[in-house]
Amino acid sequence: METTLFSQVVVLQPEDNKRLLNLCGKLDEHIRLIEDRLSVDIKQRGYTFSVSGMHAAVEKACKILHELYIQAEKHKILKPQEVHLYLQTAQKTPSAKPTAEEHSMEIRIKREVIVARGENQVRYINNILHNDINFGIGPAGTGKTYLAVACAVQALESERVSRIILARPIVEAGEKLGYLPGDLAQKVHPYLRPLYDALYEMLGFDTVAQLIERDVIELAPLAYMRGRSLNDSFIILDEGQNTTIEQMKMFLTRIGFNSKAVITGDITQIDLNSHRDSGLIHAIEVLEGVKGISFTRFMASDVVRHPLVQSIVEAYEQYNKKSGK
């Protein structure tokens, strides 16, 4: 076991105060995050950083400092999420450089550039680009829904499709929809909130409202898709683990010409009475290997939210393994 402390000095060039401040973050939060995640100690004096710790961790930290300094020039504001993602890439691929070229893919939309990072996120986007039906399966916070919405927005803006359809199974938890106030749209709005939020961020509130009014973007409960044939559309089914077997089959057979579908879900968070009733689990068993259908499986290490979320997901996974669930 490695116990000898190792130190390495990094000098960032060229000197640029804005890039340096962007790299370090507010109150040096990015530097603190690197220290915490890699268990290293970082001392800074101007553009010179002294990194101490275990040899492998120090080398990773130095590479990440160099990479993030490059990204600090490209991004007006370097967010803690970006630092978190670079750290994940470095920890999962110790023998490879965590460079944007090797481990990232950009989704360009009019308002911003959305970056998919890590092997599974890049594989997910490639699968969506090259297959008509795509499943993204894994724990919360891995970017399944967000990246699917980004691909849908890109397809709409480039006129590869004429509309976006977002669906979700309505699994009632104690309250019946009929007793909730408002019309249908108001009743289902809370269930579709994650999809709304992603759209608002990528398109803007006013644009989303206009597109929904014109039916270019349609948000609907899964049950309302029965009997339809969806052509020239990008269709996203979120929370697919809560579909029944019959609902999943119904949804998959709605796909029409020039359409693409993405189904996302987390098989560890099924709200149905029986896990064996889940249409997502059944679809994995029935459809894997079918040409034109892809499956991307995300893991706890792909979580891109607060680092604590990854630890929580891993803790539950370990508990379920020990208890045989």
Side-chain angles (χ1 to χ4, degrees), residues 89-107:
T89 304
Q91 289 174 310
K92 286 193 292 184
T93 54
S95 62
K97 295 181 180 180
T99 61
E101 292 78 9
E102 294 175 342
H103 299 289
S104 68
M105 174 178 286
E106 293 182 346
I107 305 170

Side-chain angles (χ1 to χ4, degrees), residues 156 162-164 185 196 199-200 203-219:
L156 182 68
S162 61
R163 58 179 173 165
I164 297 172
Y196 274 104
L199 285 170
Y200 290 152
L203 291 170
F205 184 89
D206 291 338
T207 300
V208 171
Q210 292 169 8
L211 293 175
I212 290 175
E213 186 176 351
R214 290 161 43 201
D215 283 332
V216 175
I217 294 178
E218 179 183 346
L219 301 102

Side-chain angles (χ1 to χ4, degrees), residues 107-110 148-166 199 202-203 207-208 210-212 214-218 232-235 260:
I107 305 170
R108 294 186 175 273
I109 58 178
K110 290 180 181 178
V149 173
C151 289
V153 170
Q154 185 188 56
L156 182 68
E157 290 183 343
S158 61
E159 299 184 351
R160 293 200 302 273
V161 298
S162 61
R163 58 179 173 165
I164 297 172
I165 300 174
L166 307 173
L199 285 170
M202 296 175 199
L203 291 170
T207 300
V208 171
Q210 292 169 8
L211 293 175
I212 290 175
R214 290 161 43 201
D215 283 332
V216 175
I217 294 178
E218 179 183 346
D232 199 31
S233 305
F234 197 114
I235 313 144
K260 192 177 291 287

Side-chain angles (χ1 to χ4, degrees), residues 109-125:
I109 58 178
K110 290 180 181 178
R111 283 173 64 100
E112 61 179 313
V113 176
I114 295 162
V115 181
R117 294 201 183 280
E119 292 180 9
N120 283 331
Q121 285 199 352
V122 172
R123 183 181 298 114
Y124 184 48
I125 300 302

Side-chain angles (χ1 to χ4, degrees), residues 127-134 161 233-236 255-256 258-262:
N127 283 340
I128 291 174
L129 292 174
H130 296 103
N131 295 278
D132 290 335
I133 297 178
N134 304 273
V161 298
S233 305
F234 197 114
I235 313 144
I236 299 174
I255 310 304
N258 192 39
S259 287
K260 192 177 291 287
V262 179

Side-chain angles (χ1 to χ4, degrees), residues 279-297:
L280 180 58
I281 290 180
H282 186 258
I284 294 170
E285 296 173 356
V286 172
L287 300 176
E288 191 149 29
V290 175
K291 188 176 181 179
I293 300 178
S294 77
F295 291 84
T296 307
R297 290 174 172 79

Side-chain angles (χ1 to χ4, degrees), residues 22 24 37 46 58 76 84 127 139 143 156 163 170 177 184 201 206 216 222 238 245 259 263 281-282 316 319 324:
N22 205 8
C24 295
R37 293 293 297 278
V58 168
K76 186 176 181 180
H84 172 62
N127 283 340
L156 182 68
R163 58 179 173 165
I170 305 301
L177 280 175
L184 177 64
E201 181 178 330
D206 291 338
V216 175
L222 178 59
D238 196 29
I245 294 172
S259 287
I263 301 94
I281 290 180
H282 186 258
Y316 272 96
Y319 173 81

